[in-house]
């Protein structure tokens, strides 16, 4: 009977009920879609950059981050690498020897970033071989090179042509080497396309006279969630007087900043949406209480306990908001799930803009349960808080006054 | 035996600086089966007195004893529960829950008393027939006339099997036809079922039906006559 009263009261003012539920619905819907795109797209950008190059964490000789020179390299330490490999959440540990060089094909010369890699280990983490548009991937101790497609076209060279790398080696020894191009790579980021060259670790050490040296060890984790905890763990196992550990945010501060500024603006938007939910509910509830004050007074007068009445009205308002909340989830979740498996590839001008900034021109929806549950809980709490208002009003109700006013 | 007794009842309303002595020293007692009118000019304290007897308002001084219980000792939900079990209310206006039909309104109070569904339905139908609304049982209050609404309210007040029914100006908003009709129903219930009615009124036609007339003025009992 009480449920009957609650149910009929919900439909007493159909338009108001619908508007209220709809405002909750739209806020939930837009909130979810917006966060999904934001987390998905930036997560994708981060994952792309992290897994295709930096890794979540990098270990260097102390001081390398201030001065990225070969003199800040360190002796390869098998036991350190093995220790890293046994850490939880660590997927790949990839040693590298990196430095700058001038790349020349005879006619053209361009500065480039040379990475000496252990081909198999590198490939397991960065899937570098999948970025080949032509040619073959490096074999272990290969004497050839892989270069970005933009760099190749600038130098006007192709597969089997020779690239000459000239630079400065360890302790400022001059460095020069000739390498047949084994493959051409394409990266989503144009910046990488025009500046990357890969040779085997062995050749790089030869080129730079850096016997047994590494400039860094990249560590890829199973998820970015674990970056900070594993960073702390690594700090515990290495000698901090000798080594330093940086996470991808420190390695790519511009990316980190961009993501943070986008997060802030999306939190502001979410805040506004939540305010719509909160005030929309509260407005409806205040109107409803004003309308039904006499009814409440009557019910308490004839013998309905205030707690019972309050519970009835609480159920009504929670139900009202919950309908909107649920509808919002029911409509947005399939959209999010669909697009999380079918990313939207951008074309035209927008795509160019993305690429110029080094991002893959794709809109990805995240179906990460974290933010979905968080939003559900937040909106639910807002609904509960708004619904507490009539409860307080009813518990303090003076039935005589309520009927007379 | 008295079912209601008031002892030296006072009520003072304090609104900002001004004190209003709405009731000043009322000693009354009521017996089972009475049909009593409380009359007096507007502002004389009728509503205040009835509200205190009904446990809706607290006296500033004095005691109200109902069925041997001093009701000022009852607090919060105990008092509400007491009203539910012992007292039937008919107000001047706004007696019914708008979203419920006449029958459901009558049922509702029995639902609060946790009576079984079968009994509720039967009693609600019987009572509505008794007040002459056998054919309007499924109408919502907004579809009923003022007089019909008041009759539903009487049926509702009776449904909970109270010791007595308090009715504050039950006919104030009714035309003379409906007034006569409502009074007849109350009178019949009083005579045939021995239901106790205590009602306040301005209306001389209503006063004439009463078997006891308590006149109050300025918060005091002027006269108390039994016919
Ligand atoms: N809540 C209140 N606050 C302040 N004064 C009040 C309050 N309720 C009643 N009064 C005052 O108490 C006095 C008695 O009021 P009450 O309503 O009991 O009179 P009444 O006899 O029922 O009048 P009426 O015939 O107009 O219904 C009046 O002067 C009224 O203004
Ligand atoms: Mg009055």
């Amino acid at each position: 009977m009480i449920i009957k009263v609650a149910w009929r009261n919900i439909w007493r003012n159909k338009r108001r009920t619908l508007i209220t539920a709809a405002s909750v619905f739209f806020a939930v819907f837009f909130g979810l879609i917006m966060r999904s795109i934001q987390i998905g797209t930036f997560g994708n950008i981060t994952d792309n950059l992290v897994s295709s190059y930096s890794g979540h964490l990098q270990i260097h000789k102390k001081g390398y981050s201030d001065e990225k020179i070969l003199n800040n390299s360190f002796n390869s330490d098998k036991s350190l690498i093995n220790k890293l490999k046994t850490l939880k959440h660590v997927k790949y540990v990839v040693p590298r020897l990196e430095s700058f060089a001038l790349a020349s094909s005879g006619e053209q010369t361009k500065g480039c970033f040379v990475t000496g890699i252990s081909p198999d280990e590198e490939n397991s983490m960065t899937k570098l071989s999948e970025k080949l548009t032509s040619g073959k991937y490096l074999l272990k101790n290969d004497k050839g090179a892989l270069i970005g497609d933009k760099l190749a076209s600038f130098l006007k060279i192709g597969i089997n042509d020779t690239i000459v790398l000239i630079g400065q080696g360890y302790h400022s020894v001059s460095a020069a080497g000739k390498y047949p191009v084994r493959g051409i790579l394409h990266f989503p980021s144009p910046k990488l396309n025009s500046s990357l060259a890969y040779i085997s670790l062995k050749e790089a050490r030869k080129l730079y006279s850096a016997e047994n040296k590494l400039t860094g060890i990249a560590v890829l984790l199973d998820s970015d969630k674990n970056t900070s905890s594993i960073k702390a763990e690594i700090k515990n196992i290495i000698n901090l007087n000798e080594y330093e550990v940086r996470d991808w945010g420190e390695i790519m501060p511009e990316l980190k900043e961009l993501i943070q500024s986008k997060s802030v603006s999306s939190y502001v938007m979410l805040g506004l949406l939540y305010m719509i939910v909160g005030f929309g509910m509260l407005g409806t509830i205040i109107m409803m209480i004003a309308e039904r004050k006499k009814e409440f007074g009557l019910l308490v007068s004839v013998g309905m306990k205030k707690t019972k009445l309050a519970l009835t009205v609480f159920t009504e308002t929670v139900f009202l908001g919950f309908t909107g909340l649920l509808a919002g989830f029911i409509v947005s979740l399939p959209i999010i799930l669909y697009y999380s498996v079918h990313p939207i590839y951008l074309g035209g001008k927008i795509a160019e803009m993305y690429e110029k900034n080094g991002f893959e021109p794709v809109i990805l929806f995240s179906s990460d349960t974290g933010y979905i549950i968080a939003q559900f809980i937040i909106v639910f709490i807002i609904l509960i808080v708004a619904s507490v208002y009539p409860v307080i009003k009813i518990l303090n109700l003076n039935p005589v006054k309520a009927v007379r006013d | 035996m008295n079912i209601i007794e008031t002892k030296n009842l006072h009520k003072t309303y304090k609104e900002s600086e001004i004190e209003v002595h709405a009731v000043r020293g009322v000693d009354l007692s009521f017996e089972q089966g009475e049909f009593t009118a409380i009359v007096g000019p507007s502002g004389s304290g009728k509503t205040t007195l009835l509200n205190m007897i009904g446990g809706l308002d607290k006296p500033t001084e004095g005691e109200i004893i109902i069925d041997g219980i001093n009701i000022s000792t009852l607090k919060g939900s105990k008092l509400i529960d007491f009203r539910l079990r012992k007292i039937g209310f008919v107000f001047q206006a706004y007696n019914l829950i708008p979203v419920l039909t006449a029958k459901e309104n009558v049922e509702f109070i029995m639902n609060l008393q946790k009576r079984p569904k079968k009994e509720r339905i039967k009693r609600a139908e019987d009572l509505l027939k008794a007040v002459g609304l056998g054919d309007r049982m499924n109408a919502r209050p907004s579809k009923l006339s003022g007089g019909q609404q008041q009759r539903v309210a009487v049926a509702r007040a009776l449904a909970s099997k109270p010791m007595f029914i308090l009715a504050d100006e039950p006919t104030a908003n009714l035309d003379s036809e409906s007034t006569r009709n409502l009074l007849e129903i109350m009178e019949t219930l009083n005579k045939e079922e021995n239901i106790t009615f205590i009602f306040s009124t301005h209306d001389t036609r209503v006063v004439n039906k009463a078997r006891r007339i308590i006149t109050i003025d300025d918060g005091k009992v002027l006269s108390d006559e039994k016919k």
Side-chain angles (χ1 to χ4, degrees), chain A residues 245-258:
Chain A
V245 191
R246 294 191 303 157
D247 57 44
W248 64 265
E250 292 166 293
I251 300 164
M252 301 178 284
E254 332 77 43
L255 177 67
K256 186 90 183 175
E257 243 167 59
L258 179 73

Side-chain angles (χ1 to χ4, degrees), chain B residues 41-48 50 92 168-169 200 202:
Chain B
S42 183
S44 57
K46 302 183 294 294
T47 299
T48 308
L50 283 177
Q92 178 178 336
D168 188 13
E169 307 207 33
S200 74
H202 280 308

Side-chain angles (χ1 to χ4, degrees), chain A residues 44-143:
Chain A
N44 181 48
I45 290 170
T46 310
D47 285 352
N48 273 346
L49 290 175
V50 163
S51 69
S52 72
Y53 199 72
S54 71
H56 291 102
L57 295 165
Q58 285 186 7
I59 295 157
H60 306 285
K61 186 189 164 81
K62 196 178 178 201
Y64 183 82
S65 58
D66 297 327
E67 221 180 342
K68 296 185 186 70
I69 53 168
L70 279 169
N71 288 352
N72 277 331
S73 58
F74 55 94
N75 281 321
S76 176
D77 178 349
K78 266 272 176 291
S79 77
L80 172 63
I81 289 177
N82 285 335
K83 256 192 241 164
L84 292 174
K85 278 182 178 163
T86 56
L87 286 179
K88 221 179 153 194
H89 303 298
V90 168
K91 273 172 75 184
Y92 302 112
V93 177
V94 177
R96 289 173 182 155
L97 181 71
E98 298 170 326
S99 189
F100 287 98
L102 281 175
S104 165
S105 60
E107 313 163 30
Q108 304 283 344
T109 303
K110 193 177 184 305
C112 75
F113 194 67
V114 179
T115 306
I117 56 168
S118 163
D120 290 342
E121 281 166 311
E122 183 73 30
N123 194 40
S124 59
M125 166 173 143
T126 63
K127 309 279 179 298
L128 191 58
S129 64
E130 289 173 13
K131 307 231 161 59
L132 281 173
T133 52
S134 59
K136 281 199 192 98
Y137 189 64
L138 295 182
L139 302 171
K140 198 172 162 65
N141 302 332
D142 204 299
K143 292 190 163 19

Side-chain angles (χ1 to χ4, degrees), chain B residues 88-159:
Chain B
F89 290 92
V90 177
F91 300 101
Q92 178 178 336
Y94 210 90
N95 265 300
L96 305 175
I97 304 168
V99 295
L100 295 183
T101 64
K103 191 166 120 188
E104 288 164 343
N105 261 288
V106 179
E107 254 192 274
F108 189 81
I109 195 140
M110 293 185 276
N111 184 64
L112 291 179
Q113 290 181 321
K114 302 195 172 69
R115 303 258 204 92
K117 191 175 169 107
K118 261 197 187 146
E119 183 196 332
R120 278 182 351 225
I121 292 173
K122 170 137 195 346
R123 189 165 168 78
E125 286 173 356
D126 289 349
L127 285 168
L128 284 169
K129 278 177 202 154
V131 299
L133 289 172
D135 55 343
R136 302 292 286 144
M137 289 198 287
N138 295 318
R140 294 218 186 164
S142 58
K143 296 278 184 308
L144 297 172
S145 74
Q148 289 172 328
Q149 288 180 32
Q150 290 304 80
R151 282 188 269 155
V152 177
V154 170
R156 194 267 320 278
L158 282 168

